[in-house]
Amino acid sequence: MAQATIDRQSKLEQANQALQERAATIGKDHRLGYHIMAPANWINDPNGLVFFKGEYHVFYQHHPYDEHWGPMHWGHAKSADLVHWEHLPIALAPDHEYDKDGCFSGSAVVKDDTLYLIYTGHVWVDRPKDIAIQTQCIAYSKDGVTFTKYEHNPVIENVPSDSTGHFRDPKVWEKNGTFHMVLGNRTKEDVGRVIHYSSSNLIDWKYEGVLAKADEKLGYMWECPDFFTVDGKEVLFFSPQGMKADGDRYQNLYQTGYLVGTYDESSKEFVHGSFEELDKGHDYYAVQTLEDHKGRRIAIGWMDMWESEMPTKEDGWCGAMTLPREVSVNQDQKVIMKPVEELKMLRKDQLSVSADVIDHEVKLSGCQGELLELELVFTLKDITAKEFGVMVRKSTDGTEQTIISVDVEQSKLFIDRDQSGKGVKGIRKTHIDLEQDVCKLHIYLDRSSVEIFANDGEINMTSRIYPKTSSIDVAFYAKNGKVKLETANVWTLKDIWEG
Ligand code: FRU
């Protein structure tokens, strides 16, 4: 027993030490200034989002030994305000028989002043064939930093009779004294679905059945579910694998989206509308949410995509979280996500940019930066331009740039990263409603990311870009006519990781 404890301790110590050593050597060019990243090496999904003892905690899938995915640990960061984050020691390492090949994704819940992490223990049976044993496990902590794995893990060991071994990513919440869990699952017929369990104590779980499942278009496996109520509606977030591209939709390797509907507690039936993607950019996956002490539903996603090119691997790190976004549901049953208001704390200097009528490309002198927030409002009344937008992270010679544009005739919003710098390329586009008085683009730029919130969070587009550090210009433009830029607020933003 004593020996096992020492070994476990040393697994975490080893991982933390390897991480620190690597952190001292990483390349900084594309390190983000105000997003959550690991000190070094690989990260993917956000895990265990929770508000505990006055602070926000975010854990994440992490391989502390390498810039590529590998045996998953849980990295950890916390913040008092959702803006200034601090790294904490790695919380979980794969150190038991039931999780020896990885502590996969999961969630957190507070019970009796104790923080519980509920995660998937992953053990490979046949890695090339993607066959594994996945079970649900628990770890707990009084201080929110050091975790003890429950001695009788796993707490859910067997899959339902019609399930494959793809049985992972528990999201747990409490309602009226009962704990609920949703899990991502793949049936023996290769149908993606979310299944539901309940428990009075987090230890003994009862299978409650299927919450939602794929039709022929919605994929063979659903990962990372999250189920919650917002604005009187029930919302299921999940990340389906195996959907086919359909016009502008589902262009990424895997999707992340939602179903909105009504859940009947007695029949346990979730009646819902159709699947919608949450973010129309290149890099958004495995989103999770938390409800905070202000009653807000806050979502954070992984700001990357499986199998994309990730040029920062050369620099010894890879992967980041998106900005925290406040989730609501509008009259049309669509999910709206806006950057949380605390992000205003990032603002340093407001740059002087005069709003004006634009009829060609206008490079803005004095409006430059790697870390910028832009709040742009274009008037649609009297518009004659066929296309307008903003170019960011532009080089002086104009060969490098990322273009965010509106095609007026097609009513489409674009992000074009064909000239964005290292590695990644491609365009994403989506419908934008131009039947309003104005078109609003709220944009956050960091050293290797762009997050666009259009029309007050109706559209989110998130993409990673890897421009040269010297490509910092901004230009507005209009083609084949004029558009009036009514408001142009631009701020330089703080680097929260600097000193
Ligand atoms: C989603 C995912 C999860 C899994 C984790 C492993 O990106 O595949 O389903 O738990 O990543 O790192």
Side-chain angles (χ1 to χ4, degrees):
M1 185 62 200
Q3 186 58 40
T5 315
I6 291 164
D7 286 345
R8 257 161 240 152
Q9 192 57 32
S10 65
K11 269 247 173 189
L12 277 175
E13 273 168 17
Q14 249 174 45
N16 280 307
Q17 194 178 335
L19 186 63
Q20 270 177 23
E21 282 165 16
R22 190 79 196 264
T25 68
I26 56 172
K28 299 274 166 67
D29 282 3
H30 294 115
R31 286 292 278 176
L32 295 155
Y34 53 88
H35 286 83
I36 300 172
M37 307 162 291
N41 287 326
W42 169 273
I43 75 175
N44 54 289
D45 312 355
N47 295 154
L49 268 52
V50 70
F51 188 75
F52 178 62
K53 296 190 176 167
E55 289 172 313
Y56 295 90
H57 290 255
V58 171
F59 301 81
Y60 47 81
Q61 292 285 280
H62 184 25
H63 188 200
Y65 296 100
D66 202 282
E67 67 273 17
H68 298 95
W69 189 85
M72 284 290 106
H73 295 57
W74 276 37
H76 189 185
K78 70 168 187 177
S79 167
D81 58 14
L82 288 171
V83 176
H84 300 90
W85 294 94
E86 178 191 330
H87 290 300
L88 290 174
I90 293 166
L92 300 178
D95 52 13
H96 284 69
E97 276 304 307
Y98 54 81
D99 63 13
K100 71 180 164 71
D101 295 322
C103 300
F104 272 21
S105 285
S107 54
V109 77
V110 181
K111 175 179 176 273
D112 305 330
D113 261 359
T114 304
L115 182 58
Y116 286 83
L117 305 181
I118 306 95
Y119 67 98
T120 299
H122 178 82
V123 178
W124 287 117
V125 175
D126 184 338
R127 186 162 181 188
K129 290 195 181 133
D130 196 25
I131 300 172
I133 296 171
Q134 299 190 325
T135 58
Q136 314 318 319
C137 307
I138 287 187
Y140 53 89
S141 166
K142 283 275 179 205
D143 65 2
V145 180
T146 311
F147 290 83
T148 307
K149 289 183 183 169
Y150 174 54
E151 60 176 327
H152 300 300
N153 269 340
V155 293
I156 306 182
E157 201 163 4
N158 298 315
V159 301
S161 57
D162 57 350
S163 167
T164 62
H166 292 274
F167 174 69
R168 58 178 174 268
D169 310 336
K171 168 72 187 207
V172 173
W173 70 97
E174 189 260 341
K175 191 172 180 194
N176 303 330
T178 300
F179 293 97
H180 295 269
M181 177 195 290
V182 282
L183 273 175
N185 188 221
R186 174 177 184 161
T187 68
K188 287 181 177 156
E189 271 89 44
D190 292 326
V191 175
R193 64 180 183 176
V194 169
I195 52 179
H196 176 199
Y197 288 75
S198 69
S199 168
S200 59
N201 56 10
L202 294 174
I203 304 292
D204 305 301
W205 290 92
K206 173 170 173 251
Y207 181 47
E208 298 281 5
V210 177
L211 182 72
K213 70 170 196 234
D215 59 18
E216 63 287 351
K217 289 189 180 153
L218 277 177
Y220 57 79
M221 169 66 194
W222 289 5
E223 297 188 307
C224 303
D226 194 349
F227 191 52
F228 53 87
T229 305
V230 74
D231 296 327
K233 288 282 158 197
E234 269 75 53
V235 182
L236 179 66
F237 280 8
F238 60 103
S239 295
Q241 297 179 305
M243 291 184 70
K244 292 205 175 69
D246 176 12
D248 296 339
R249 288 148 55 113
Y250 322 140
Q251 289 289 321
N252 296 333
L253 176 66
Y254 302 136
Q255 276 56 57
T256 288
Y258 66 91
L259 303 170
V260 172
T262 314
Y263 181 68
D264 182 332
E265 300 214 357
S266 47
S267 67
K268 305 208 163 65
E269 217 190 326
F270 177 44
V271 178
H272 57 77
S274 57
F275 178 78
E276 295 290 335
E277 279 174 289
L278 272 169
D279 187 294
K280 309 290 173 34
H282 298 84
D283 293 289
Y284 191 83
Y285 197 63
V287 65
Q288 285 289 293
T289 73
L290 67 90
E291 189 181 16
D292 77 352
H293 56 302
K294 299 179 185 165
R296 294 179 300 178
R297 183 57 61 175
I298 297 168
I300 296 181
W302 175 35
M303 195 161 63
D304 289 282
M305 178 50 61
W306 288 109
E307 292 168 36
S308 310
E309 212 170 314
M310 299 174 181
T312 62
K313 283 182 178 171
E314 283 171 25
D315 297 328
W317 71 282
C318 188
M321 299 298 133
T322 65
L323 287 175
R325 302 173 185 181
E326 187 173 348
V327 179
S328 58
V329 174
N330 74 8
Q331 307 281 12
D332 303 326
Q333 317 288 303
K334 295 274 180 285
V335 169
I336 305 295
M337 296 200 294
K338 295 181 192 174
V340 294
E341 62 173 0
E342 286 90 332
L343 290 166
K344 290 183 181 149
M345 281 190 264
L346 286 171
R347 292 173 183 169
K348 272 199 326 198
D349 301 321
Q350 179 155 11
L351 302 178
S352 105
V353 178
S354 61
D356 212 342
V357 172
I358 304 164
D359 59 4
H360 63 292
E361 186 179 323
V362 191
K363 192 145 137 189
L364 303 164
S365 64
C367 181
Q368 294 181 318
E370 288 185 289
L371 277 58
L372 290 180
E373 178 187 350
L374 297 92
E375 228 178 37
L376 309 177
V377 182
F378 297 89
T379 310
L380 295 173
K381 202 164 75 81
D382 302 329
I383 184 171
T384 55
K386 301 274 181 288
E387 182 185 323
F388 64 89
V390 55
M391 294 138 166
V392 295
R393 300 303 309 268
K394 200 173 167 71
S395 58
T396 322
D397 65 3
T399 54
E400 207 167 79
Q401 59 186 357
T402 298
I403 309 171
I404 298 156
S405 62
V406 175
D407 181 318
V408 182
E409 287 184 330
Q410 288 188 60
S411 294
K412 297 259 182 212
L413 176 65
F414 282 67
I415 176 155
D416 176 345
R417 58 175 191 179
D418 275 347
Q419 298 160 267
S420 291
K422 249 194 197 170
V424 298
K425 297 235 169 313
I427 293 170
R428 291 288 178 269
K429 58 184 186 323
T430 188
H431 175 78
I432 184 165
D433 180 6
L434 300 178
E435 300 295 311
Q436 313 180 24
D437 294 342
V438 292
C439 168
K440 298 185 191 171
L441 299 178
H442 189 185
I443 302 166
Y444 281 86
L445 292 182
D446 203 337
R447 290 197 185 85
S448 53
S449 68
V450 183
E451 284 162 281
I452 307 168
F453 302 89
N455 291 346
D456 298 315
E458 271 177 23
I459 305 172
N460 285 203
M461 287 181 118
T462 303
S463 296
R464 299 299 300 275
I465 54 168
Y466 304 93
K468 293 193 195 79
T469 54
S470 57
S471 298
I472 52 171
D473 287 347
V474 177
F476 298 134
Y477 79 98
K479 275 189 189 163
N480 304 333
K482 294 181 185 171
V483 65
K484 180 159 194 292
L485 181 59
E486 197 173 282
T487 312
N489 292 324
V490 182
W491 293 269
T492 57
L493 300 180
K494 261 210 286 219
D495 188 327
I496 62 147
W497 300 111
E498 244 172 29

mmCIF file of all heavy atoms in Angstrom, residues 434-465:
data_model
loop_
_atom_site.group_PDB
_atom_site.id
_atom_site.type_symbol
_atom_site.label_atom_id
_atom_site.label_comp_id
_atom_site.label_asym_id
_atom_site.label_seq_id
_atom_site.Cartn_x
_atom_site.Cartn_y
_atom_site.Cartn_z
ATOM 1 N N LEU A 434 -28.127 39.827 -42.885
ATOM 2 C CA LEU A 434 -27.848 41.224 -43.236
ATOM 3 C C LEU A 434 -29.138 42.029 -43.384
ATOM 4 O O LEU A 434 -29.143 43.127 -43.915
ATOM 5 C CB LEU A 434 -27.009 41.294 -44.527
ATOM 6 C CG LEU A 434 -25.644 40.599 -44.475
ATOM 7 C CD1 LEU A 434 -24.931 40.694 -45.823
ATOM 8 C CD2 LEU A 434 -24.752 41.178 -43.387
ATOM 9 N N GLU A 435 -30.239 41.456 -42.930
ATOM 10 C CA GLU A 435 -31.531 42.155 -42.988
ATOM 11 C C GLU A 435 -31.711 43.076 -41.792
ATOM 12 O O GLU A 435 -32.817 43.388 -41.401
ATOM 13 C CB GLU A 435 -32.685 41.136 -42.990
ATOM 14 C CG GLU A 435 -32.686 40.144 -44.143
ATOM 15 C CD GLU A 435 -32.892 40.827 -45.482
ATOM 16 O OE1 GLU A 435 -33.827 41.625 -45.571
ATOM 17 O OE2 GLU A 435 -32.100 40.578 -46.406
ATOM 18 N N GLN A 436 -30.638 43.441 -41.144
ATOM 19 C CA GLN A 436 -30.725 44.319 -39.981
ATOM 20 C C GLN A 436 -30.105 45.662 -40.338
ATOM 21 O O GLN A 436 -29.550 45.828 -41.415
ATOM 22 C CB GLN A 436 -29.976 43.696 -38.805
ATOM 23 C CG GLN A 436 -30.319 42.226 -38.594
ATOM 24 C CD GLN A 436 -29.577 41.608 -37.413
ATOM 25 O OE1 GLN A 436 -29.165 42.292 -36.507
ATOM 26 N NE2 GLN A 436 -29.421 40.294 -37.446
ATOM 27 N N ASP A 437 -30.152 46.637 -39.401
ATOM 28 C CA ASP A 437 -29.595 47.963 -39.697
ATOM 29 C C ASP A 437 -28.080 47.944 -39.747
ATOM 30 O O ASP A 437 -27.457 48.735 -40.440
ATOM 31 C CB ASP A 437 -30.016 48.972 -38.611
ATOM 32 C CG ASP A 437 -31.520 49.191 -38.646
ATOM 33 O OD1 ASP A 437 -32.133 48.862 -39.684
ATOM 34 O OD2 ASP A 437 -32.064 49.648 -37.627
ATOM 35 N N VAL A 438 -27.503 47.063 -38.924
ATOM 36 C CA VAL A 438 -26.039 47.059 -38.824
ATOM 37 C C VAL A 438 -25.494 45.635 -38.855
ATOM 38 O O VAL A 438 -26.233 44.667 -38.643
ATOM 39 C CB VAL A 438 -25.575 47.721 -37.498
ATOM 40 C CG1 VAL A 438 -25.867 49.206 -37.480
ATOM 41 C CG2 VAL A 438 -26.158 47.026 -36.282
ATOM 42 N N CYS A 439 -24.196 45.544 -39.112
ATOM 43 C CA CYS A 439 -23.492 44.266 -39.018
ATOM 44 C C CYS A 439 -22.373 44.475 -37.996
ATOM 45 O O CYS A 439 -21.542 45.362 -38.151
ATOM 46 C CB CYS A 439 -22.912 43.911 -40.384
ATOM 47 S SG CYS A 439 -21.757 42.546 -40.325
ATOM 48 N N LYS A 440 -22.396 43.685 -36.918
ATOM 49 C CA LYS A 440 -21.416 43.884 -35.843
ATOM 50 C C LYS A 440 -20.385 42.763 -35.854
ATOM 51 O O LYS A 440 -20.763 41.581 -35.878
ATOM 52 C CB LYS A 440 -22.114 43.839 -34.489
ATOM 53 C CG LYS A 440 -23.139 44.924 -34.278
ATOM 54 C CD LYS A 440 -23.647 44.811 -32.851
ATOM 55 C CE LYS A 440 -24.849 45.683 -32.627
ATOM 56 N NZ LYS A 440 -25.471 45.437 -31.338
ATOM 57 N N LEU A 441 -19.123 43.150 -35.827
ATOM 58 C CA LEU A 441 -18.047 42.155 -35.733
ATOM 59 C C LEU A 441 -17.209 42.463 -34.496
ATOM 60 O O LEU A 441 -16.614 43.534 -34.389
ATOM 61 C CB LEU A 441 -17.147 42.205 -36.976
ATOM 62 C CG LEU A 441 -17.800 41.916 -38.318
ATOM 63 C CD1 LEU A 441 -16.769 42.048 -39.443
ATOM 64 C CD2 LEU A 441 -18.413 40.515 -38.337
ATOM 65 N N HIS A 442 -17.189 41.536 -33.571
ATOM 66 C CA HIS A 442 -16.386 41.686 -32.359
ATOM 67 C C HIS A 442 -15.286 40.623 -32.458
ATOM 68 O O HIS A 442 -15.587 39.434 -32.530
ATOM 69 C CB HIS A 442 -17.298 41.451 -31.151
ATOM 70 C CG HIS A 442 -16.659 41.769 -29.845
ATOM 71 N ND1 HIS A 442 -17.255 41.531 -28.651
ATOM 72 C CD2 HIS A 442 -15.460 42.327 -29.538
ATOM 73 C CE1 HIS A 442 -16.466 41.924 -27.658
ATOM 74 N NE2 HIS A 442 -15.367 42.403 -28.180
ATOM 75 N N ILE A 443 -14.042 41.078 -32.466
ATOM 76 C CA ILE A 443 -12.941 40.169 -32.810
ATOM 77 C C ILE A 443 -11.860 40.214 -31.732
ATOM 78 O O ILE A 443 -11.444 41.299 -31.310
ATOM 79 C CB ILE A 443 -12.321 40.577 -34.169
ATOM 80 C CG1 ILE A 443 -13.394 40.549 -35.262
ATOM 81 C CG2 ILE A 443 -11.149 39.675 -34.532
ATOM 82 C CD1 ILE A 443 -12.992 41.248 -36.542
ATOM 83 N N TYR A 444 -11.416 39.041 -31.294
ATOM 84 C CA TYR A 444 -10.271 38.944 -30.388
ATOM 85 C C TYR A 444 -9.105 38.296 -31.125
ATOM 86 O O TYR A 444 -9.241 37.183 -31.645
ATOM 87 C CB TYR A 444 -10.615 38.073 -29.180
ATOM 88 C CG TYR A 444 -11.424 38.785 -28.130
ATOM 89 C CD1 TYR A 444 -12.807 38.851 -28.221
ATOM 90 C CD2 TYR A 444 -10.799 39.405 -27.059
ATOM 91 C CE1 TYR A 444 -13.550 39.511 -27.255
ATOM 92 C CE2 TYR A 444 -11.537 40.066 -26.093
ATOM 93 C CZ TYR A 444 -12.907 40.114 -26.194
ATOM 94 O OH TYR A 444 -13.635 40.778 -25.244
ATOM 95 N N LEU A 445 -7.988 39.001 -31.143
ATOM 96 C CA LEU A 445 -6.774 38.465 -31.767
ATOM 97 C C LEU A 445 -5.750 38.162 -30.688
ATOM 98 O O LEU A 445 -5.484 39.017 -29.845
ATOM 99 C CB LEU A 445 -6.114 39.522 -32.654
ATOM 100 C CG LEU A 445 -6.800 39.979 -33.908
ATOM 101 C CD1 LEU A 445 -5.892 40.983 -34.608
ATOM 102 C CD2 LEU A 445 -7.048 38.779 -34.801
ATOM 103 N N ASP A 446 -5.194 36.973 -30.768
ATOM 104 C CA ASP A 446 -4.066 36.660 -29.881
ATOM 105 C C ASP A 446 -2.915 36.212 -30.784
ATOM 106 O O ASP A 446 -3.070 36.171 -32.017
ATOM 107 C CB ASP A 446 -4.481 35.589 -28.862
ATOM 108 C CG ASP A 446 -3.620 35.613 -27.603
ATOM 109 O OD1 ASP A 446 -2.477 36.111 -27.647
ATOM 110 O OD2 ASP A 446 -4.092 35.111 -26.559
ATOM 111 N N ARG A 447 -1.769 35.834 -30.202
ATOM 112 C CA ARG A 447 -0.598 35.599 -31.072
ATOM 113 C C ARG A 447 -0.810 34.493 -32.110
ATOM 114 O O ARG A 447 -0.167 34.517 -33.151
ATOM 115 C CB ARG A 447 0.645 35.273 -30.236
ATOM 116 C CG ARG A 447 1.132 36.477 -29.464
ATOM 117 C CD ARG A 447 2.555 36.335 -28.947
ATOM 118 N NE ARG A 447 2.826 37.498 -28.139
ATOM 119 C CZ ARG A 447 2.494 37.605 -26.845
ATOM 120 N NH1 ARG A 447 1.957 36.574 -26.222
ATOM 121 N NH2 ARG A 447 2.726 38.716 -26.205
ATOM 122 N N SER A 448 -1.696 33.551 -31.806
ATOM 123 C CA SER A 448 -1.954 32.521 -32.821
ATOM 124 C C SER A 448 -3.436 32.138 -32.865
ATOM 125 O O SER A 448 -3.756 30.973 -33.112
ATOM 126 C CB SER A 448 -1.070 31.290 -32.575
ATOM 127 O OG SER A 448 -1.220 30.826 -31.252
ATOM 128 N N SER A 449 -4.293 33.101 -32.637
ATOM 129 C CA SER A 449 -5.725 32.785 -32.723
ATOM 130 C C SER A 449 -6.555 33.996 -33.125
ATOM 131 O O SER A 449 -6.154 35.133 -32.889
ATOM 132 C CB SER A 449 -6.237 32.274 -31.372
ATOM 133 O OG SER A 449 -6.220 33.299 -30.413
ATOM 134 N N VAL A 450 -7.705 33.690 -33.722
ATOM 135 C CA VAL A 450 -8.718 34.700 -34.042
ATOM 136 C C VAL A 450 -10.056 34.157 -33.551
ATOM 137 O O VAL A 450 -10.422 33.020 -33.877
ATOM 138 C CB VAL A 450 -8.862 34.897 -35.573
ATOM 139 C CG1 VAL A 450 -9.863 36.004 -35.881
ATOM 140 C CG2 VAL A 450 -7.540 35.171 -36.220
ATOM 141 N N GLU A 451 -10.775 34.944 -32.761
ATOM 142 C CA GLU A 451 -12.131 34.558 -32.361
ATOM 143 C C GLU A 451 -13.073 35.677 -32.784
ATOM 144 O O GLU A 451 -12.899 36.831 -32.389
ATOM 145 C CB GLU A 451 -12.206 34.342 -30.842
ATOM 146 C CG GLU A 451 -11.586 33.020 -30.428
ATOM 147 C CD GLU A 451 -11.244 32.962 -28.946
ATOM 148 O OE1 GLU A 451 -10.209 33.531 -28.550
ATOM 149 O OE2 GLU A 451 -12.014 32.350 -28.195
ATOM 150 N N ILE A 452 -14.065 35.310 -33.588
ATOM 151 C CA ILE A 452 -15.006 36.303 -34.112
ATOM 152 C C ILE A 452 -16.374 36.048 -33.482
ATOM 153 O O ILE A 452 -16.853 34.904 -33.473
ATOM 154 C CB ILE A 452 -15.160 36.157 -35.648
ATOM 155 C CG1 ILE A 452 -13.796 36.189 -36.333
ATOM 156 C CG2 ILE A 452 -16.090 37.228 -36.215
ATOM 157 C CD1 ILE A 452 -13.855 35.760 -37.800
ATOM 158 N N PHE A 453 -16.976 37.111 -32.980
ATOM 159 C CA PHE A 453 -18.345 37.056 -32.468
ATOM 160 C C PHE A 453 -19.139 38.041 -33.302
ATOM 161 O O PHE A 453 -18.917 39.249 -33.206
ATOM 162 C CB PHE A 453 -18.378 37.450 -30.986
ATOM 163 C CG PHE A 453 -17.489 36.563 -30.141
ATOM 164 C CD1 PHE A 453 -16.149 36.891 -29.935
ATOM 165 C CD2 PHE A 453 -17.969 35.392 -29.602
ATOM 166 C CE1 PHE A 453 -15.315 36.069 -29.190
ATOM 167 C CE2 PHE A 453 -17.151 34.553 -28.855
ATOM 168 C CZ PHE A 453 -15.815 34.900 -28.646
ATOM 169 N N ALA A 454 -19.999 37.547 -34.178
ATOM 170 C CA ALA A 454 -20.727 38.449 -35.078
ATOM 171 C C ALA A 454 -22.152 38.618 -34.570
ATOM 172 O O ALA A 454 -22.749 37.686 -34.019
ATOM 173 C CB ALA A 454 -20.727 37.876 -36.491
ATOM 174 N N ASN A 455 -22.680 39.828 -34.779
ATOM 175 C CA ASN A 455 -24.057 40.161 -34.397
ATOM 176 C C ASN A 455 -24.395 39.682 -32.980
ATOM 177 O O ASN A 455 -25.300 38.866 -32.777
ATOM 178 C CB ASN A 455 -25.050 39.624 -35.438
ATOM 179 C CG ASN A 455 -24.920 40.400 -36.738
ATOM 180 O OD1 ASN A 455 -24.301 41.479 -36.774
ATOM 181 N ND2 ASN A 455 -25.474 39.857 -37.806
ATOM 182 N N ASP A 456 -23.622 40.188 -32.033
ATOM 183 C CA ASP A 456 -23.850 39.910 -30.608
ATOM 184 C C ASP A 456 -23.874 38.423 -30.276
ATOM 185 O O ASP A 456 -24.739 37.962 -29.519
ATOM 186 C CB ASP A 456 -25.168 40.570 -30.151
ATOM 187 C CG ASP A 456 -25.121 42.073 -30.293
ATOM 188 O OD1 ASP A 456 -24.097 42.674 -29.910
ATOM 189 O OD2 ASP A 456 -26.091 42.665 -30.821
ATOM 190 N N GLY A 457 -22.952 37.686 -30.839
ATOM 191 C CA GLY A 457 -22.801 36.287 -30.464
ATOM 192 C C GLY A 457 -23.676 35.318 -31.242
ATOM 193 O O GLY A 457 -23.689 34.118 -30.951
ATOM 194 N N GLU A 458 -24.394 35.818 -32.272
ATOM 195 C CA GLU A 458 -25.200 34.892 -33.102
ATOM 196 C C GLU A 458 -24.286 33.941 -33.863
ATOM 197 O O GLU A 458 -24.632 32.789 -34.124
ATOM 198 C CB GLU A 458 -26.028 35.671 -34.121
ATOM 199 C CG GLU A 458 -27.366 36.073 -33.589
ATOM 200 C CD GLU A 458 -28.154 36.903 -34.579
ATOM 201 O OE1 GLU A 458 -27.894 36.824 -35.802
ATOM 202 O OE2 GLU A 458 -29.029 37.647 -34.111
ATOM 203 N N ILE A 459 -23.140 34.457 -34.289
ATOM 204 C CA ILE A 459 -22.169 33.619 -35.004
ATOM 205 C C ILE A 459 -20.853 33.671 -34.246
ATOM 206 O O ILE A 459 -20.380 34.751 -33.891
ATOM 207 C CB ILE A 459 -21.916 34.131 -36.437
ATOM 208 C CG1 ILE A 459 -23.223 34.257 -37.216
ATOM 209 C CG2 ILE A 459 -20.923 33.235 -37.169
ATOM 210 C CD1 ILE A 459 -23.059 34.946 -38.560
ATOM 211 N N ASN A 460 -20.277 32.499 -34.014
ATOM 212 C CA ASN A 460 -18.912 32.400 -33.465
ATOM 213 C C ASN A 460 -18.043 31.732 -34.515
ATOM 214 O O ASN A 460 -18.453 30.754 -35.139
ATOM 215 C CB ASN A 460 -18.878 31.484 -32.235
ATOM 216 C CG ASN A 460 -19.471 32.095 -30.961
ATOM 217 O OD1 ASN A 460 -19.132 31.667 -29.869
ATOM 218 N ND2 ASN A 460 -20.345 33.063 -31.078
ATOM 219 N N MET A 461 -16.845 32.271 -34.724
ATOM 220 C CA MET A 461 -15.881 31.621 -35.624
ATOM 221 C C MET A 461 -14.517 31.670 -34.961
ATOM 222 O O MET A 461 -14.030 32.754 -34.633
ATOM 223 C CB MET A 461 -15.796 32.341 -36.968
ATOM 224 C CG MET A 461 -16.990 32.119 -37.853
ATOM 225 S SD MET A 461 -16.800 32.995 -39.431
ATOM 226 C CE MET A 461 -16.828 31.631 -40.581
ATOM 227 N N THR A 462 -13.916 30.520 -34.782
ATOM 228 C CA THR A 462 -12.626 30.442 -34.087
ATOM 229 C C THR A 462 -11.620 29.710 -34.954
ATOM 230 O O THR A 462 -11.902 28.599 -35.407
ATOM 231 C CB THR A 462 -12.806 29.675 -32.758
ATOM 232 O OG1 THR A 462 -13.801 30.346 -31.997
ATOM 233 C CG2 THR A 462 -11.507 29.604 -31.979
ATOM 234 N N SER A 463 -10.479 30.333 -35.184
ATOM 235 C CA SER A 463 -9.450 29.677 -36.001
ATOM 236 C C SER A 463 -8.065 29.990 -35.444
ATOM 237 O O SER A 463 -7.830 31.097 -34.965
ATOM 238 C CB SER A 463 -9.519 30.160 -37.452
ATOM 239 O OG SER A 463 -10.749 29.785 -38.034
ATOM 240 N N ARG A 464 -7.187 29.003 -35.516
ATOM 241 C CA ARG A 464 -5.777 29.245 -35.174
ATOM 242 C C ARG A 464 -5.065 29.748 -36.425
ATOM 243 O O ARG A 464 -5.383 29.316 -37.548
ATOM 244 C CB ARG A 464 -5.095 27.947 -34.703
ATOM 245 C CG ARG A 464 -5.700 27.336 -33.471
ATOM 246 C CD ARG A 464 -5.642 28.223 -32.241
ATOM 247 N NE ARG A 464 -4.287 28.594 -31.844
ATOM 248 C CZ ARG A 464 -3.476 27.869 -31.072
ATOM 249 N NH1 ARG A 464 -3.904 26.710 -30.601
ATOM 250 N NH2 ARG A 464 -2.261 28.280 -30.755
ATOM 251 N N ILE A 465 -4.124 30.672 -36.238
ATOM 252 C CA ILE A 465 -3.270 31.171 -37.320
ATOM 253 C C ILE A 465 -1.852 31.313 -36.770
ATOM 254 O O ILE A 465 -1.680 31.466 -35.560
ATOM 255 C CB ILE A 465 -3.750 32.540 -37.863
ATOM 256 C CG1 ILE A 465 -3.900 33.559 -36.730
ATOM 257 C CG2 ILE A 465 -5.063 32.385 -38.631
ATOM 258 C CD1 ILE A 465 -4.094 34.991 -37.198
#
